[in-house]
Amino acid sequence: DTKRTEKMRYDPLSKRIINIIYPLVIYMAIGMAVLGVFPNAGLLANLIEKLCCVAIMTILFYQDSKKIRWEGAPLTPITSIILIAIGICACIGVNMFFELTGLKTLRSDDAKQVSQALYSDSLWLQILAVGIVAPIAEELLFRGILYRRMRTWLNVLPASIIALVIFAAVHGNLLQALYAFLLGTLLIWAYEHFANLIAPILLHISANLISILASQSNLFGSFLQKYTAIACIVGIFGTVIGIVYMMKMTCSQSKNCI
């Protein structure tokens, strides 16, 4: 397995666990520190927090890159566009599924909390903080560092489950956690398949940006509310078709067809 290095594979279990825990501790400590300094700054505080995380996690990621070998399918302009389309479809499909199943109604307090936290500030701040910087910070930590480190000593399934549970747990409430778990599955697939962190970053950014558009555009938001079932079907089928097409297009060039 070219993803594994002999040194990291045979590290003591205690060291492996510490290597998973301490980046999370840093991530949470940054969040608490920024919130303590800017308690009423809203998304601006979130932007500052995520920028600090990007700076620190980038250092850890590139330190790991010297030790962890990782090979996958080539990420081309065409596959990048398909990843963006998958992110858009997945976001719409999952959110419309929540609407149809009544999950948003059952967890209405969660939905209001998410809306107030993410979509109440100015549009430019939403795009910058939620749409761009947050996905980069989260992909660096959850896929680029935590998941990749676990993959040096775990197979795909156990590493994915642990990484998804952690990713869901840090998202605050049940509705966000469920969404993070489902989207995180796609993000792990993208990282595994391409072995390039840009792949899940593109997918994540596109999902977040379309979510902002749906919340801020009366026309688009009304369309989704009026045609919820159709949007859900199109979103889910678009995601599946995008993945299948991507796999067929890239598997012949990849040693890692996951």
Side-chain angles (χ1 to χ4, degrees), residues 102-171:
L103 277 171
K104 280 194 174 180
T105 303
L106 289 172
R107 306 295 303 185
S108 58
D109 290 341
D110 289 355
K112 290 177 182 177
Q113 181 185 349
V114 173
S115 180
Q116 184 176 3
L118 301 181
Y119 308 124
S120 57
D121 281 281
S122 60
L123 180 59
W124 73 267
L125 194 54
Q126 291 178 44
I127 292 172
L128 189 59
V130 179
I132 298 172
V133 179
I136 294 172
E138 291 180 357
E139 292 314 305
L140 278 165
L141 172 62
F142 293 103
R143 258 62 63 183
I145 296 172
L146 301 187
Y147 178 74
R148 187 166 66 163
R149 286 182 178 183
M150 283 187 279
R151 282 290 283 120
T152 63
W153 53 283
L154 290 173
N155 292 325
V156 173
L157 184 59
S160 297
I161 291 173
I162 296 170
L164 288 170
V165 169
I166 294 172
F167 186 52
V170 301
H171 275 78

Side-chain angles (χ1 to χ4, degrees), residues 25-142:
V25 173
I26 293 172
Y27 180 80
M28 290 185 288
I30 292 172
M32 289 186 289
V34 172
L35 187 61
V37 177
F38 305 103
N40 301 310
L43 270 186
L44 181 60
N46 184 272
L47 176 61
I48 295 169
E49 172 199 341
K50 293 300 189 288
L51 285 171
C52 293
C53 287
V54 168
I56 294 173
M57 298 306 158
T58 297
I59 295 171
L60 296 179
F61 176 77
Y62 279 104
Q63 286 177 342
D64 283 357
S65 295
K66 297 176 182 177
K67 299 178 286 186
I68 303 175
R69 298 187 300 273
W70 194 277
E71 295 180 6
L75 186 64
T76 65
I78 294 176
T79 53
S80 297
I81 291 170
I82 296 172
L83 282 170
I84 291 170
I86 290 172
I88 292 170
C89 288
C91 177
I92 293 173
V94 171
N95 278 288
M96 294 305 98
F97 177 76
F98 287 171
E99 290 280 0
L100 289 172
T101 56
L103 277 171
K104 280 194 174 180
T105 303
L106 289 172
R107 306 295 303 185
S108 58
D109 290 341
D110 289 355
K112 290 177 182 177
Q113 181 185 349
V114 173
S115 180
Q116 184 176 3
L118 301 181
Y119 308 124
S120 57
D121 281 281
S122 60
L123 180 59
W124 73 267
L125 194 54
Q126 291 178 44
I127 292 172
L128 189 59
V130 179
I132 298 172
V133 179
I136 294 172
E138 291 180 357
E139 292 314 305
L140 278 165
L141 172 62
F142 293 103

